[in-house]
Structures are given as C-alpha cells and as structure tokens.
Amino acid sequence: MNARIVSEKERQSFFRDFSRIHDGALVTVSVAAPGAGSHDEIVNQSLRGISEDRDGIVVNTGNGGGSPHIERRVRNVDAVLLQQTDEGADAEVDIASIDGSLTIVRFRSPALPELLDPGVE
C-alpha cells in the first residue's frame, strides 16, 4: 500500500472530487482510539461523501431508499491520508485526530479512480 498525505489546503477539493468519484461505493468506517482498541462503527454502507467544515470532517453514508443516513464526524483533525494499493486503486482514507484516535474509511472493493469517474473517457 502507498500512502499520500492530503494537505490542509487541498482537503476541500480532494474531498469534493473523491466524493463525486466514489459516490455509492460500499465502505466500512472503523474507529481506533488509544487504550480503547478499535471497532467498526459503520459496516458495508454506501458512501455519500466526505466533507470538511469548521467543526471537522464528516463522513456521510447511507443506502437511500428509506435506509437511515449515518454520519460520522471527526473533530480536531491532525492528518488525512489516502491509502492506495500498489496498482493505484483507492483503498481507504485515514483521518487522524490530535487525541491519537484514527477513523478509517475502507472500501469493500478498492478501484482505480479513473475507472469510476464518468468524466474520464
């Protein structure tokens, strides 16, 4: 796996493009906290987007069609990393908080972004 740091100044555009490309992809959202271990908070739900506002980063999921919308907010963000397979497929986004906790948005099936983007012909 290869990791790419997403700088603070590029996060808005990164999340906008990332969310558009991966809309509907199945993800699992896991949270790991120092001393508390890790657990899956959201399992196999459709990604509806990741965004950043003044209160942190928000991961939105939900299958639509009457299924509940599930949101995970990450506050006090320290770093954002995009993890890609050796072939360049997006595998997960890691969101680290200042308190040492880590939120992982992991794709069920990593895919090359250019294969998912309808704007690329």
Side-chain angles (χ1 to χ4, degrees):
M1 285 251 252
N2 300 305
R4 178 175 80 84
I5 296 171
V6 180
S7 71
E8 267 189 77
K9 71 177 192 171
E10 70 176 315
R11 284 183 196 161
Q12 291 286 341
S13 62
F14 169 79
F15 288 138
R16 181 189 63 240
D17 295 343
F18 185 87
S19 297
R20 179 181 50 81
I21 292 168
H22 294 290
D23 182 48
L26 291 179
V27 296
T28 293
V29 179
S30 303
V31 178
S38 66
H39 67 280
D40 294 340
E41 275 195 3
I42 301 168
V43 179
N44 289 333
Q45 292 290 313
S46 297
L47 181 66
R48 293 297 168 217
I50 302 175
S51 60
E52 184 174 37
D53 60 26
R54 68 176 192 258
D55 292 328
I57 293 175
V58 180
V59 179
N60 288 294
T61 62
N63 290 329
S67 295
H69 170 87
I70 305 169
E71 176 181 291
R72 166 77 171 130
R73 179 172 292 278
V74 184
R75 299 185 191 280
N76 303 312
V77 175
D78 185 40
V80 174
L81 291 106
L82 172 63
Q83 300 280 356
Q84 294 180 312
T85 65
D86 292 337
E87 293 78 27
D90 294 344
E92 68 186 49
V93 174
D94 299 341
I95 306 167
S97 295
I98 293 170
D99 67 1
S101 63
L102 181 65
T103 300
I104 301 165
V105 181
R106 184 178 56 254
F107 289 102
R108 182 174 176 184
S109 300
L112 294 168
E114 58 268 18
L115 297 178
L116 302 171
D117 190 351
V120 175
E121 298 279 333

